[in-house]
């Protein structure tokens, strides 16, 4: 049976997919026109800024689905994670010879499993991840399943990773009302890193030299803009060898099989972004598959990730959207700020070139909000789909208000918000309570495999972890409220407040 032959029925199923969890309110979010983008609102001003419907100060309502024991554990874990020396110590221990000692290794892994792993991860396997996803669903949220795979260096590793992605997608098929909104796919896990670098170099050179012929290249949207960084490719690259072309073909076939499984499961996939030296190849895989696996339907199967901290983010978003419209291909975008600031700046500095990242956090916030507004306008006119992945409360509130102003239904399958599991709970629950679709990015996998991933995320997101102070303040307030109510009710012993 060909892919095209099975498309009509499966795409009808995809159209019926409801991305978000159950909500019980249809209220409207209200926001003023201007925001202080990089400051978390304080408790006294949050309600005024958000309006009466996206409420971040009524902690009883906000954390109504969170058991007291979970609230206390979250508060302690976030406080530890926000301490800069903790990530430094963790990285040092994991790289040191201490981990060669079996007893020390068991101790370190055991402590980490009971603290950071339990807080930020869904568990060791699919069964645990799906159980956590169901818990999220019961609290009005959905899950983006993310198996914690490492980057692949050869085809054998890619094949193993590919099978894990298929297993993850297949695990959602037997559920009538799935709590899973997306499965996260890493191109770096199904195509060797060195090949992605080679392909990116050739795509960058092709952008500069339009006469260049890439015989292996499939139809795609524009991948680069004139504002994109090109310093990674200082000279004309050699063409792919016959072996490299064959490996590229095999890698794309893995992507194709993942797409076919996603269609059968009526479940869209999110493609993770990486740093700029390999991002053109990742965009190429993503957009080529988006074109192949579409019949002009309204809802995309594949969502690419745009990192707003890059100077060329808005330009690449706009040209990709224009090309998608011309080809009648629905464009799905996940918008993030980005997580590779240190490595990007370090490489640019070493080469004496301008960093690809915006100067200052204000410019990054402005770019994020501009990209979000652009896509919201596209959604309002019936084109495009957007996942707003943000932990910034101001950006979340601004986007929520803009969506309402543009007449976008809160239950629209074209729009949802997302945060990391274990992070920005106030924002997740506040948006949920206001009626929006909200998902949590849910990593899972064996403890030894996931811990290096967690440490890298902690190192890359130091600012994010330290910015959790507002969440911690709200959690403390809610714990205090529950404790003071202990004398008059049994509230603190229940699973909800």
């Amino acid at each position: 049976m060909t892919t095209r032959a099975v498309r009509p029925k499966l795409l009808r199923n995809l159209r019926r997919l409801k991305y978000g969890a159950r909500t019980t309110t249809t209220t409207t979010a209200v926001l003023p026109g201007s925001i202080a983008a990089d400051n978390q609102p304080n408790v006294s001003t949050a309600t005024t800024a958000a309006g009466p419907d996206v409420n971040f100060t009524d902690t009883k309502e906000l954390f109504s689905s969170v058991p007291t024991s979970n609230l206390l554990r979250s508060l302690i874990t976030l406080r530890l994670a926000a301490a800069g020396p903790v990530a430094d110590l963790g990285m040092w221990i994991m790289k040191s010879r201490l981990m060669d000692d079996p007893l020390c290794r068991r101790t370190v892994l055991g402590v980490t499993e009971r603290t950071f792993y339990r807080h930020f991860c869904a568990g060791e396997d699919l069964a645990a991840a799906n159980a956590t996803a169901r818990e999220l669903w019961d609290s009005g949220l959905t899950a983006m399943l993310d198996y914690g795979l490492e980057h692949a260096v050869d085809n054998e590793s890619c094949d193993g990773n590919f099978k894990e992605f298929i297993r993850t997608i297949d695990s959602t098929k037997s559920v009538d009302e799935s709590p899973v909104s997306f499965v996260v796919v890493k191109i770096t896990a199904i195509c060797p890193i060195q090949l992605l670098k080679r392909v990116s170099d050739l795509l960058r050179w092709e952008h500069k030299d339009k006469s260049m012929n890439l015989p292996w290249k499939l139809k795609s949207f524009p991948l680069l803009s004139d504002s994109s960084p090109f310093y990674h490719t200082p000279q004309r690259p050699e063409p792919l060898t016959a072996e490299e072309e064959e490996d590229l073909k095999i890698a794309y076939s893995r992507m194709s099989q993942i797409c076919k499984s996603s269609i059968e499961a009526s479940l869209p996939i999110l493609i993770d972004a990486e740093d700029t030296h390999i991002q053109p190849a990742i965009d190429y895989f993503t957009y080529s598959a988006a074109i192949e696996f579409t019949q002009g339907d309204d809802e995309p199967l594949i969502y690419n990730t745009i990192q707003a901290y890059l100077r060329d983010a808005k330009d690449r978003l706009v040209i990709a959207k224009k090309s998608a419209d011309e080809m009648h291909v629905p464009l799905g975008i996940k918008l993030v700020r980005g997580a590779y600031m240190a490595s990007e700046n370090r490489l640019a500095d070493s080469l004496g070139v301008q960093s690809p990242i915006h100067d200052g956090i204000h410019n990054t916030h402005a770019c994020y909000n501009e990209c979000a507004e652009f896509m919201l306008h596209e959604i309002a006119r019936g084109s495009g789909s957007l996942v707003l992945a943000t932990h910034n409360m101001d950006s979340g509130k601004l986007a929520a208000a803009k969506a309402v102003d543009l007449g976008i239904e809160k239950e629209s399958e074209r729009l949802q918000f997302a945060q990391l599991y274990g992070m920005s709970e106030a924002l997740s629950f506040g948006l949920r309570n206001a009626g929006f679709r909200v998902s949590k990015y849910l990593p899972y996998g064996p403890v030894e495999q996931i811990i290096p991933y967690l440490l890298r995320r902690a190192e890359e997101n130091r600012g994010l972890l330290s910015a959790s102070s507002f969440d911690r303040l709200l959690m403390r307030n809610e714990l205090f409220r529950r404790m003071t109510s202990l004398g008059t009710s049994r509230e603190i012993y229940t699973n909800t407040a």
Side-chain angles (χ1 to χ4, degrees):
M1 182 181 297
T2 66
T3 302
R4 293 295 180 186
V6 301
R7 298 276 303 154
K9 179 180 177 181
L10 296 175
L11 282 172
R12 283 197 298 272
N13 291 335
L14 185 60
R15 280 197 295 272
R16 290 196 293 268
L17 178 65
K18 299 296 183 184
Y19 296 157
R22 297 160 287 185
T23 54
T24 58
T25 178
T26 56
T27 53
T28 301
V30 180
L31 252 190
S34 61
I35 57 173
D38 63 338
N39 295 320
Q40 293 290 357
N42 59 49
V43 173
S44 63
T45 62
T47 302
T48 302
D53 302 306
V54 183
N55 190 317
F56 299 107
T57 57
D58 184 350
T59 60
K60 181 177 181 179
E61 179 185 15
L62 205 59
F63 298 110
S64 61
S65 59
V66 184
T68 298
S69 58
N70 289 4
L71 204 60
L72 181 60
R73 187 176 67 241
S74 295
L75 178 61
I76 294 171
T77 304
L78 286 175
R79 182 66 189 89
L80 285 172
V86 173
D88 293 335
L89 178 61
M91 291 294 291
W92 180 83
I93 291 176
M94 292 301 295
K95 294 177 181 179
S96 73
R97 293 183 178 179
L98 291 174
M99 297 302 289
D100 295 333
D101 179 75
L103 177 61
C104 179
R105 186 177 188 84
R106 285 197 301 271
T107 301
V108 171
L109 293 178
V111 170
T112 307
E113 179 182 4
R114 289 168 177 77
T115 53
F116 301 112
Y117 178 87
R118 182 179 297 179
H119 182 81
F120 294 111
C121 296
E124 293 199 10
D125 53 28
L126 271 173
N130 283 318
T132 304
R134 180 59 60 180
E135 291 176 5
L136 288 173
W137 175 262
D138 290 340
S139 69
L141 307 173
T142 49
M144 299 171 171
L145 291 184
D146 173 30
Y147 189 72
L149 298 167
E150 295 297 306
H151 293 177
V153 296
D154 53 38
N155 280 324
E156 183 179 0
S157 299
C158 289
D159 286 338
N161 294 341
F162 159 74
K163 292 175 183 177
E164 292 296 339
F165 287 133
I166 296 296
R167 286 184 62 247
T168 303
I169 294 168
D170 288 347
S171 73
T172 69
K173 290 181 180 179
S174 61
V175 182
D176 292 333
E177 195 176 33
S178 177
V180 178
S181 55
F182 294 89
V183 165
V184 179
V185 174
K186 299 176 179 65
I187 303 299
T188 53
I190 60 172
C191 182
I193 288 289
Q194 185 56 36
L195 182 55
L196 290 175
K197 176 66 168 66
R198 290 274 288 125
V199 170
S200 294
D201 283 337
L202 287 161
L203 291 170
R204 273 188 286 263
W205 203 268
E206 182 199 37
H207 182 87
K208 296 194 292 185
D209 181 0
K210 305 303 181 185
S211 67
M212 189 174 194
N213 177 41
L214 302 178
W216 45 264
K217 187 179 178 184
L218 303 172
K219 183 181 292 186
S220 180
F221 304 148
L223 306 171
L224 298 156
S225 72
D226 291 340
S227 60
S228 297
F230 293 93
Y231 55 79
H232 308 81
T233 312
Q235 57 190 13
R236 186 184 182 95
E238 292 294 324
L240 294 183
T241 65
E243 182 180 359
E244 286 174 326
E245 284 198 33
E246 181 62 22
D247 285 346
L248 182 62
K249 181 179 178 180
I250 293 171
Y252 187 77
S253 71
R254 297 186 188 105
M255 181 70 176
S256 296
Q257 288 298 319
I258 288 170
C259 291
K260 292 173 185 176
S261 292
S262 297
I263 291 170
E264 293 171 3
S266 294
L267 185 70
I269 57 177
L270 290 175
I271 305 299
D272 265 352
E274 302 288 341
D275 51 35
T276 53
H277 87 288
I278 57 173
Q279 190 60 44
I282 292 171
D283 291 342
Y284 165 70
F285 267 80
T286 305
Y287 291 145
S288 295
I291 293 169
E292 179 180 355
F293 294 94
T294 187
Q295 289 185 335
D297 298 80
D298 291 337
E299 293 160 17
L301 174 70
I302 304 167
Y303 284 64
N304 197 24
T305 298
I306 295 289
Q307 301 181 96
Y309 74 168
L310 297 174
R311 298 174 189 271
D312 68 344
K314 178 73 178 293
D315 293 339
R316 289 191 296 114
L317 174 61
V318 171
I319 61 177
K321 184 64 176 66
K322 180 182 177 182
S323 181
D325 289 347
E326 292 171 350
M327 295 185 194
H328 304 289
V329 175
L331 182 68
I333 292 294
K334 181 183 75 168
L335 184 62
V336 303
R337 277 174 171 75
Y340 301 96
M341 181 178 294
S343 59
E344 295 283 12
N345 286 336
R346 188 162 53 246
L347 176 60
D349 287 344
S350 70
L351 298 175
V353 298
Q354 184 185 46
S355 171
I357 296 173
H358 287 295
D359 294 328
I361 190 63
H362 287 282
N363 291 335
T364 293
H365 289 325
C367 182
Y368 187 95
N369 294 335
E370 288 171 10
C371 291
E373 183 173 6
F374 169 77
M375 284 300 297
L376 289 171
H377 275 283
E378 294 296 302
I379 292 171
R381 69 179 184 88
S383 174
S385 297
L386 177 65
V387 173
L388 281 165
T390 181
H391 299 88
N392 183 278
M393 205 163 287
D394 289 319
S395 289
K397 292 185 296 181
L398 183 62
K402 189 66 178 180
V404 171
D405 289 344
L406 292 172
I408 300 172
E409 294 290 332
K410 293 181 180 180
E411 287 295 315
S412 170
E413 296 176 356
R414 296 180 181 276
L415 172 66
Q416 74 167 272
F417 295 84
Q419 289 80 44
L420 292 171
Y421 182 65
M423 290 296 300
S424 297
E425 306 292 63
L427 180 56
S428 299
F429 293 138
L431 289 166
R432 173 206 64 183
N433 291 347
F436 290 97
R437 297 176 179 273
V438 183
S439 281
K440 299 296 265 186
Y441 201 90
L442 199 61
Y444 74 95
V447 178
E448 291 198 42
Q449 177 177 309
I450 289 290
I451 285 179
Y453 163 90
L454 284 176
L455 290 171
R456 283 195 298 275
R457 296 293 82 80
E459 187 175 34
E460 292 161 1
N461 295 289
R462 288 175 187 269
L464 170 61
L465 290 167
S466 62
S468 66
S469 57
F470 185 63
D471 254 18
R472 301 198 307 272
L473 174 60
L474 293 179
M475 289 177 182
R476 285 197 298 270
N477 288 350
E478 174 58 10
L479 283 169
F480 179 77
R481 188 196 67 77
R482 295 184 188 186
M483 290 296 295
T484 56
S485 68
L486 182 59
T488 57
S489 73
R490 300 178 61 83
E491 179 178 18
I492 198 168
Y493 297 109
T494 64
N495 281 344
T496 62

